[in-house]
Amino acid sequence: MRFMGPRPLLLVLALVTQPMAVSHARPVAVAAAEKDIVLYRIVKGDNLYTLAERYFFRVTDFRIVQKLNRITDPYHVPVGRILRIPRQLLRYEMLQARVLAFRGPVRVHRADGDVPVAMGMQVGEGDEIATAANGFVSLGLPDRSVVALPSQSRVAVRRLRRLLLTGGVERLFAIDSGRARAIVTPMKRQQDDFRFSTPAAVSAVRGTEYRMTYRDDRTTTEVLHGVVDVVSNADGAIHKIAAGFGAVSSATGTDAAVPLLPPPGLEHPGTLQDEEDLSFTLQPLSGARSYHAQVAQDAGFIDTLSETLTPELGFSLPSVPDGTWFVRVSGIDANGLEGIPATFSFERRRAYIKTAMETRRVGGDREYLFRWMMAGAANRTYRFLLSSDAEGAIPMFDEAGLADEQFVVTNLPPGSYHWRVMSLEFVDGVARQQWSPVERLTVSANE
């Protein structure tokens, strides 16, 4: 077990994590001072000297606590007496987060250089995690809380430790740019602490799910479950944000909380996704200026694969392997606050057909080689249709039950032709067929 001393923080935190009876503004210095104090109740066998021996960096620092608490005899402190102890005097144990899932370009910056993320990799105090475009990562904390970073985000682990005196766990993640989502396990101790911070505001929770974004000198906080305390770095005002509400913080303070947009609907959510790219269409949502969509392998969106921000109702996302996947969509209002998400499962089974045609001379014959290729691995048969009309009503060749992905026609007479291919497969006892787009072929008289 490794005990660590205090490290300098890169920002001043103005936050009280104890439950608040009032919500009016408080001076930043007062809030910061209270946050730097740890409360401890004396039990039988305690005195200031023995506490200092076990839990302080320096035994002589018991005098600081004696003076702060106006204790006459440091060797005789009444049982039940509550001590106020400066946090910087206390020893702590370093904790580690673990990479639960990641996709795309994700790196961890450390004092000795940048390293790429790996599954199961440990991340601790002082590390900075950065996701590039199409990069995603989720971190699991020791208490099963989760911090998820989408693409183009940079978040530093400022605190991840356990105080030896109280057992309280402190977790502080500083969002330098981009977004972060937290699913916080309900805390067992009053001394436990979970916070996101940005240059504009700090948020604290005791068990909830919420998102925080820092971009263009503005911070948005959106609460999905539970209650979040947001403290403005501008004036120290504390704002309680309940589930279903969000607020914007800036250099001038934090605006009043407003309701988040409701979940948007999805047109035909059960449609099989069988084309090359994933394609979805949203139902219009009143008040939405744009939409956020993500695709993940799990319904909790710990393992996120791709995302898009779009003002359009119809949107596409990159291809994913066959299987069951999840898409999560939410609306974004005029304040830049992302609304309550809706999650839909969908079945992915690639069945789009790529076609090609080439000609070749074999002896005195002209051969027309029609080729096709299906995405995805499955046992399929094919039907080739060549017709003089686009609808296929007058077929010249209609060959079904083909196992090969090609068909040869010899010496076509001059004229215009149309051809396409159908695939047939059985999935869970159900027949599925897919036609390729109709292709046109013109054979000239001088070929």
Side-chain angles (χ1 to χ4, degrees):
M1 182 177 294
R2 184 161 60 107
F3 301 132
M4 298 296 294
R7 285 173 144 181
L9 288 178
L10 299 187
L11 66 93
V12 177
L13 299 176
L15 178 64
V16 179
T17 60
Q18 304 288 343
M20 296 292 173
V22 293
S23 59
H24 54 270
R26 303 183 67 190
V28 175
V30 173
E34 291 185 10
K35 181 59 193 169
D36 289 335
I37 294 295
V38 173
L39 302 180
Y40 176 74
R41 185 185 298 273
I42 293 290
V43 299
K44 186 177 180 180
D46 283 342
N47 62 55
L48 293 189
Y49 188 81
T50 58
L51 288 177
E53 269 192 321
R54 297 170 187 165
Y55 304 113
F56 293 7
F57 288 109
R58 299 182 303 177
V59 175
T60 55
D61 282 345
F62 78 85
R63 296 190 180 93
I64 298 175
V65 179
Q66 179 183 2
K67 182 178 180 181
L68 178 64
N69 292 273
R70 299 178 182 179
I71 294 174
T72 303
D73 185 352
Y75 296 96
H76 295 89
V77 184
V79 172
R81 172 77 181 270
I82 295 178
L83 297 182
R84 301 174 71 243
I85 305 174
R87 184 178 301 276
Q88 67 268 22
L89 303 184
L90 297 171
R91 289 188 292 164
Y92 53 84
E93 172 192 3
M94 298 289 282
L95 301 177
Q96 298 288 323
R98 182 172 60 88
V99 175
L100 298 178
F102 79 95
R103 301 275 183 167
V106 183
R107 298 191 70 83
V108 175
H109 175 72
R110 290 173 171 160
D112 55 354
D114 286 1
V115 293
V117 156
M119 284 296 296
M121 176 181 181
Q122 291 190 330
V123 177
E125 219 173 89
D127 290 342
E128 182 181 80
I129 305 97
T131 60
N134 299 315
F136 305 86
V137 64
S138 292
L139 305 177
L141 306 188
D143 69 338
R144 299 183 181 275
S145 295
V146 176
V147 174
L149 310 183
S151 60
Q152 297 180 314
S153 298
R154 191 171 71 252
V155 174
V157 185
R158 294 285 187 252
R159 282 182 182 262
L160 189 53
R161 57 178 69 171
R162 178 185 291 110
L163 290 179
L164 299 184
L165 175 65
T166 63
V169 176
E170 298 182 343
R171 295 153 295 181
L172 168 62
F173 296 84
I175 304 173
D176 296 325
S177 63
R179 295 171 285 152
R181 177 173 68 104
I183 305 172
V184 183
T185 301
M187 301 180 192
K188 298 178 180 179
R189 301 178 182 85
Q190 189 64 35
Q191 296 86 356
D192 289 346
D193 181 26
F194 184 100
R195 288 172 285 162
F196 279 151
S197 72
T198 73
V202 180
S203 64
V205 300
R206 296 203 59 80
T208 186
E209 180 180 357
Y210 73 116
R211 303 178 298 242
M212 205 167 186
T213 303
Y214 180 69
R215 188 176 288 116
D216 299 329
D217 297 325
R218 297 171 75 250
T219 296
T220 58
T221 304
E222 300 125 6
V223 182
L224 303 179
H225 302 286
V227 178
V228 173
D229 286 345
V230 172
V231 180
S232 171
N233 288 349
D235 55 13
I238 300 168
H239 297 261
K240 282 190 176 296
I241 304 178
F245 286 79
V248 178
S249 304
S250 63
T252 59
T254 299
D255 298 338
V258 297
L260 299 177
L261 291 177
L266 201 62
E267 296 284 358
H268 311 297
T271 300
L272 178 70
Q273 293 285 338
D274 55 9
E275 295 297 330
E276 184 168 3
D277 290 330
L278 304 178
S279 180
F280 302 93
T281 301
L282 291 163
Q283 297 172 353
L285 179 62
S286 177
R289 296 292 183 88
S290 59
Y291 299 91
H292 182 207
Q294 293 180 305
V295 165
Q297 215 166 20
D298 62 299
F301 280 74
I302 303 302
D303 188 7
T304 303
L305 191 74
S306 62
E307 69 177 347
T308 186
L309 292 169
T310 175
E312 305 296 333
L313 293 176
F315 62 92
S316 297
L317 287 163
S319 178
V320 297
D322 290 355
T324 300
W325 292 79
F326 299 87
V327 59
R328 183 170 60 187
V329 291
S330 52
I332 300 174
D333 66 15
N335 298 311
L337 291 169
E338 184 175 342
I340 299 170
T343 300
F344 304 89
S345 66
F346 65 90
E347 191 71 18
R348 169 63 164 166
R349 189 167 296 277
R350 293 169 294 172
Y352 57 90
I353 308 174
K354 292 184 177 180
T355 58
M357 194 278 298
E358 61 185 76
T359 63
R360 60 191 181 190
R361 178 72 65 177
V362 179
D365 296 324
R366 170 73 67 178
E367 288 188 349
Y368 298 85
L369 178 60
F370 299 89
R371 297 180 183 272
W372 55 89
M373 182 179 66
M374 287 291 301
N379 293 321
R380 300 185 176 98
T381 59
Y382 302 98
R383 176 184 174 188
F384 174 78
L385 182 64
L386 177 70
S387 176
S388 59
D389 65 307
E391 289 73 28
I394 310 174
M396 297 180 63
F397 291 90
D398 188 355
E399 299 290 333
L402 299 175
D404 294 334
E405 294 183 334
Q406 64 179 33
F407 189 79
V408 177
V409 177
T410 304
N411 296 331
L412 280 172
S416 293
Y417 302 93
H418 299 83
W419 68 279
R420 56 179 176 159
V421 177
M422 184 194 78
S423 72
L424 176 66
E425 63 178 307
F426 289 87
V427 179
D428 298 328
V430 178
R432 288 181 177 172
Q433 63 182 37
Q434 176 81 12
W435 281 102
S436 70
V438 176
E439 301 284 348
R440 183 169 180 174
L441 168 64
T442 300
V443 178
S444 62
N446 57 1
E447 285 191 18

